Amino acid sequence: MNYIKQFILAICFYLVLTCQDHVLARDTTTRDIVVPKISEWQVTVANGLTTGETLFIHCKSEENDLGDINLKFLDRFSWNFGENMLHSTLFWCYMSKDDGHMNVKVFWDDVILFHRCDWKNCVWTAKNDGLYLWNSAIGEDVLSEKWESGW
């Protein structure tokens, strides 16, 4: 029984040491305390449509709906968040342009994605043929998803 108490105490001590920044943050929610954030991220979506079209985006996670955004050519939309300790943070976006649309994940728990995003900042650019992710490891945009026809 003594080992169980020591184990529980060790876990509590570990959580206090690793999560204290987030527990004390001004905008902390109950979920942050139960499932602490372990790393900070930024996701950016940019309109690189050279046709001059407006890019419509609607991004969300299970807990956050970022609303409808209309981006003119070269405009960007960014948001910051903390990945939770369970590594279950997921953001996805619906995007549309005059002749195409897509539903696409823009952040999920994946070490390859993290490497491409330099472990802090995922930059997505909508171009005429599809959605590109800036791969900081190789220093160039990489096509991730092609547009589906129609609305």
Side-chain angles (χ1 to χ4, degrees):
M1 192 66 159
N2 195 21
Y3 292 113
I4 294 173
K5 288 179 184 177
Q6 289 176 343
F7 179 72
I8 291 172
L9 184 60
I11 288 175
C12 290
F13 184 70
Y14 170 78
L15 288 174
V16 166
L17 288 178
T18 59
C19 304
Q20 63 185 359
D21 302 357
H22 301 290
V23 172
L24 300 175
R26 185 170 22 107
D27 58 349
T28 300
T29 66
T30 305
R31 179 166 171 80
D32 294 330
I33 295 169
V34 175
V35 184
K37 299 171 184 172
I38 59 168
S39 59
E40 296 295 322
W41 287 90
Q42 181 176 66
V43 172
T44 300
V45 177
N47 181 349
L49 299 169
T50 58
T51 56
E53 296 172 69
T54 296
L55 175 67
F56 171 83
I57 65 171
H58 186 137
C59 300
K60 60 195 299 186
S61 71
E62 186 176 297
E63 292 133 7
N64 300 295
D65 187 332
L66 305 178
D68 296 341
I69 308 290
N70 289 297
L71 298 175
K72 295 178 183 168
F73 180 58
L74 298 181
D75 281 353
R76 298 170 158 250
F77 174 69
S78 299
W79 67 96
N80 299 305
F81 58 93
E83 183 190 16
N84 67 42
M85 195 161 142
L86 298 178
H87 302 283
S88 61
T89 305
L90 169 68
F91 277 92
W92 64 95
C93 298
Y94 172 78
M95 301 183 192
S96 65
K97 61 183 190 113
D98 289 348
D99 62 350
H101 65 100
M102 68 176 69
N103 280 300
V104 62
K105 292 190 298 185
V106 293
F107 183 87
W108 63 98
D109 186 75
D110 179 72
V111 72
I112 295 171
L113 176 72
F114 295 172
H115 184 67
R116 291 176 179 162
C117 296
D118 198 25
W119 297 89
K120 62 185 171 216
N121 190 16
C122 297
V123 179
W124 298 90
T125 303
K127 297 186 181 183
N128 298 348
D129 59 340
L131 185 66
Y132 287 74
L133 174 63
W134 175 254
N135 185 334
S136 62
I138 61 173
E140 66 182 46
D141 280 331
V142 177
L143 180 63
S144 178
E145 186 86 20
K146 290 190 172 240
W147 293 104
E148 295 179 37
S149 298
W151 282 85

